[in-house]
Amino acid sequence: RINLLHALLGAFALALVAPALADGPGSAGPDVAAPPVRAAPLTPAAQQAAPEGRTGVIALADGAFSLNVPAGYRFYSAEEAYAYLQRNNAATPSGSVFGLLAKSGVNVRAPGTWATAVSYDAVGYVQPETASGLADANFEADVRTARASQSRPFEGFAMDAAFDAAAPELMWAERSAAPGSQGSDLRYEQKALGRNGVAALTSVGSADQMPEMQAAAADYKAMLSFAEGQRHADFVAASDQVSAYTVPGLVTGLSAAEVAAAAEAQGEKQQGMGGLSGWFPWIALGVVVLAGLGS
């Protein structure tokens, strides 16, 4: 009887424990860990959300010049401009970059969008009469040499450099990659001369976007103005600094001193080779004599 009682108590205990050990209702599945929870991936649209731009009168370079941005365009921050140049593998303009201009309704962060970096280089008063150097026969070769020294690709001019003395303004376009290349292969430059420096509008995009850049250039010219006393015509010869850059130098990116130093170095190299060439016959004769002695 005691054994029967123990057996009944054991069965009762098992009946109480079994539900606790069960996996729950339904058929038991394989013993597989649940997949980890991950955040949903960002869509391309979210990654490339358009930044906020500005319109209206925007003073730049401590008030040296300003842009009056109309409703059809937007002006973005300097940080946005630097990021844009980096994404497009474009060389940063000389001087200080203040922002980025683009047509309203476009996303400057989206691939394939062309936009314009706004900068100012306080190089002093650039003498307009030096623009005659743009017509030199070897000017494009000089630009090619300068770009090589700057580690910048140059495939030639898409639009020859031209200077408008009345503005005064310098414009040109250069190919930074071979025609038909993918991505940003064109750089369209518009430089306005002031009393103490040069304001630059550097458009970066592809060759097929050049007509749009040319059309925008007229709008940019109307937007940009130097402050009273900072215009090119306000130059005072007795006290103002004359720039070390000529008008062609604004294209090459080399000052007159740098051009002279490069020419001097090239001359010394050629002179050195010329002096050595005088010894070539004697060196050749010595080689022949030594060969004869060896035999």
Side-chain angles (χ1 to χ4, degrees):
R1 184 178 298 174
I2 294 175
N3 290 336
L4 179 60
L5 179 60
H6 287 169
L8 290 173
L9 289 174
F12 182 71
L14 287 173
L16 291 176
V17 173
L21 296 177
D23 289 334
S27 60
D31 188 13
V32 178
V37 177
R38 295 185 176 91
L42 293 175
T43 63
Q47 292 173 350
Q48 301 292 337
E52 292 292 330
R54 300 168 55 193
T55 58
V57 178
I58 302 168
L60 301 168
D62 295 327
F65 74 103
S66 63
L67 292 175
N68 189 358
V69 183
Y73 290 86
R74 292 292 184 273
F75 180 82
Y76 303 94
S77 67
E79 291 77 13
E80 203 68 49
Y82 281 116
Y84 176 84
L85 293 168
Q86 185 176 25
R87 282 195 303 271
N88 288 276
N89 296 317
T92 303
S94 57
S96 300
V97 175
F98 291 102
L100 190 72
L101 268 174
K103 290 284 189 72
S104 60
V106 303
N107 185 352
V108 295
R109 294 176 182 173
T113 300
W114 74 271
T116 306
V118 182
S119 61
Y120 180 77
D121 201 0
V123 294
Y125 175 84
V126 178
Q127 296 174 302
E129 57 268 24
T130 61
S132 60
L134 297 174
D136 288 350
N138 60 342
F139 177 63
E140 184 166 345
D142 292 341
V143 175
R144 192 176 303 279
T145 301
R147 294 292 180 268
S149 70
Q150 297 155 354
S151 300
R152 286 175 52 184
F154 179 76
E155 294 292 331
F157 285 113
M159 182 180 78
D160 290 336
F163 183 70
D164 179 4
E169 181 184 58
L170 172 67
M171 295 177 66
W172 79 93
E174 61 184 80
R175 296 188 301 273
S176 55
S181 300
Q182 297 296 317
S184 301
D185 57 0
L186 186 82
R187 190 179 180 97
Y188 193 101
E189 296 277 8
Q190 189 172 356
K191 293 181 181 285
L193 278 58
R195 176 181 179 180
N196 297 303
V198 177
L201 298 164
T202 304
S203 299
V204 174
S206 57
D208 60 346
Q209 294 168 328
M210 183 171 165
E212 297 178 41
M213 297 179 189
Q214 288 178 303
D219 295 337
Y220 289 163
K221 185 175 182 178
M223 287 185 214
L224 192 152
S225 61
F226 284 94
E228 190 74 25
Q230 294 293 325
R231 297 167 302 183
H232 196 261
D234 296 327
F235 173 71
V236 179
S239 58
D240 289 348
Q241 172 195 358
V242 174
S243 180
Y245 287 83
T246 62
V247 171
L250 296 178
V251 181
T252 62
L254 299 177
S255 66
E258 290 171 323
V259 172
E264 183 179 356
Q266 183 67 19
E268 290 176 354
K269 180 180 178 180
Q270 292 176 349
Q271 184 177 5
M273 291 299 294
L276 184 61
S277 65
W279 289 91
F280 284 164
W282 297 103
I283 293 172
L285 179 61
V287 170
V288 172
V289 171
L290 289 174
L293 292 174
S295 63

